[in-house]
Amino acid sequence: MRRHLLGLIAVLLPLCAGPVRAEPSITLRERLVMVSSASSTTLTRLLVRNFAERFAGVPAPQVDTISAARTIEAFCSGVGPQTPDIAIVTRRMPRAMIEVCAANGVRDIIEVQLGLGAVVIAGRRGDAMPGLTARQIWEALAAERPEDEDFGPNRQRSWSDISPTLPHTEIRVLIPSEVAGTRALFDDLVMEGGCRNVTRVRLIFDAAYRRSKCITTRTDGHAITLHGDEVVPALLAAPPGTLAVVSYDQLVASGGNLIALPLDGVSPNPASIGNLDYEHARTFFLYAKRQHARQQQGVGVVRGIHEFLVESTSEQAGGPGGYLTTAGLVPLGPAERAAQRRIAEQGRLMSR
């Protein structure tokens, strides 16, 4: 972790190497610096792009994409121009990390919820497929499965090879590529969630190696990787029995041509996603350091924190039909969206 933070500081230092503004406008850095978890990549990219378009002439924020745990650790590493201003993750900051933040001087934290992300296993209307579990999805798509005392290539060819309760049809699943936010959620919530309790995987000590065993998909034609916007058209043209990994927004946009399969016994819909009964959904959180914000006197680490918060919680971003829905975002309810906008506009500090 220390090596990673040193590397991040090496990236940030050139951003604050320019001349300091004369009084009364003292700004230590000209560009927002953000850290984002991998599962928030597409959403963060959309926010950054639209922020840059709205505030023409303002340098686009610098974004470093790392793991969810390291995202919060980097955010909590301290206060000053060499540390990030904003973090976007799909897990709420735990109490232990709030205490780490405080110990490092990061005490004035703004927390806003941007919306919900959900990954869906979809099929074509009329194709018969019983409800699946995340464990069965992993067993079907993983590049390697436990074999004796080691791992071996995945040789499962039909769903009935996974379980006799599943149909005797070929395993064929369309998956978005790694650049898509839906793929990151699928890796985190379904593939890694599905292999979490596999004994052979749990015995792997190294976290990175353990994760690779969970999320690496087979390349023998049973898991087909496509660009994110190609998945739905390809599914509609695919042989019967083909499944696809899509966002909930893509499912709704299909106009009823696709159906969502229950996963682990729960069907994805606005209610089950909104109250997180559907386990394969997460809330996107944005954290910002109010200590870094440019004050009314023109003093601060960086300008733009308030404006980025307001943009991120706007209706044009996270409301129904907002541009974040293209990243698979499920909007919060109207009252909750209004509450998050008030937090952003007032710069209200996290109270927990």
Side-chain angles (χ1 to χ4, degrees):
M1 180 60 204
R2 182 180 178 185
R3 288 198 302 272
H4 177 80
L5 290 179
L6 289 174
L8 180 59
I9 290 171
V11 172
L12 296 179
L13 284 177
L15 298 177
C16 49
V20 174
R21 289 180 178 270
E23 292 283 6
S25 298
I26 300 177
T27 303
L28 302 181
R29 181 160 25 81
E30 292 297 324
R31 173 180 293 183
L32 283 171
V33 172
M34 302 168 56
V35 282
S36 168
S37 64
S39 56
S40 306
T41 300
T42 304
L43 179 140
T44 302
R45 187 184 302 121
L46 286 170
L47 286 173
V48 166
R49 186 185 72 190
N50 282 271
F51 175 79
E53 289 176 353
R54 181 175 178 186
F55 298 97
V58 175
Q62 165 97 20
V63 180
D64 188 23
T65 301
I66 47 182
S67 69
R70 289 182 176 178
T71 296
I72 295 300
E73 288 172 356
F75 179 81
C76 290
S77 62
V79 175
Q82 75 281 6
T83 65
D85 310 302
I86 291 172
I88 299 180
V89 290
T90 54
R91 294 188 180 97
R92 198 175 197 190
M93 187 186 297
R95 168 55 60 180
M97 287 310 302
I98 294 174
E99 293 172 357
V100 170
C101 267
N104 291 333
V106 185
R107 296 184 178 89
D108 293 351
I109 302 172
I110 301 169
E111 175 191 75
V112 294
Q113 298 177 34
L114 302 179
L116 297 154
V119 63
V120 172
I121 306 301
R124 293 185 309 187
R125 183 168 295 281
D127 285 356
M129 171 63 79
L132 293 165
T133 66
R135 171 71 175 265
Q136 290 169 341
I137 294 289
W138 176 78
E139 290 181 348
L141 301 183
E144 295 183 331
R145 298 183 61 208
E147 193 174 88
D148 297 326
E149 298 300 316
D150 203 349
F151 288 84
N154 192 342
R155 298 182 176 86
Q156 311 301 319
R157 295 291 179 263
S158 70
W159 289 104
S160 58
D161 292 335
I162 305 296
S163 169
T165 63
L166 297 177
H168 187 64
T169 55
E170 181 184 7
I171 296 169
R172 182 181 172 86
V173 183
L174 311 180
I175 305 173
S177 64
E178 285 78 1
V179 299
T182 303
R183 174 60 179 270
L185 285 173
F186 174 68
D187 286 346
D188 286 353
L189 304 180
V190 180
M191 292 294 283
E192 193 162 8
C195 79
R196 184 175 296 124
N197 295 318
V198 176
T199 303
R200 179 59 55 189
V201 174
R202 290 179 64 186
L203 291 175
I204 299 173
F205 177 76
D206 182 76
Y209 183 56
R210 185 169 61 245
R211 178 172 167 81
S212 73
K213 291 297 183 186
C214 289
I215 70 171
T216 303
T217 55
R218 56 200 301 184
T219 58
D220 57 358
H222 293 278
I224 303 164
T225 301
L226 300 169
H227 192 275
D229 59 7
E230 296 175 344
V231 172
V232 171
L235 177 58
L236 293 174
T242 303
L243 303 180
V245 176
V246 301
S247 68
Y248 184 72
D249 184 67
Q250 286 176 304
L251 177 80
V252 173
S254 74
N257 290 313
L258 302 183
I259 58 170
L261 301 182
L263 199 54
D264 294 307
V266 180
S267 296
N269 55 54
S272 64
I273 294 170
N275 58 29
L276 297 180
D277 284 342
Y278 183 69
E279 295 182 0
H280 311 289
R282 285 291 184 272
T283 303
F284 289 95
F285 288 92
L286 184 153
Y287 293 95
K289 295 175 183 173
R290 198 170 76 176
Q291 289 153 291
H292 280 200
R294 181 181 168 99
Q295 302 167 0
Q296 289 183 354
Q297 294 83 5
V299 178
V301 170
V302 66
R303 68 181 71 195
I305 290 178
H306 173 76
E307 291 80 2
F308 195 90
L309 282 166
V310 170
E311 172 67 21
S312 300
T313 55
S314 66
E315 284 293 285
Q316 68 181 15
Y323 61 78
L324 292 181
T325 61
T326 63
L329 189 84
V330 176
L332 299 170
E336 189 57 40
R337 294 200 306 274
Q340 299 307 311
R341 283 197 300 275
R342 287 193 295 271
I343 292 172
E345 291 164 358
Q346 298 169 10
R348 194 184 308 163
L349 298 180
M350 181 172 65
S351 59
R352 58 188 178 89

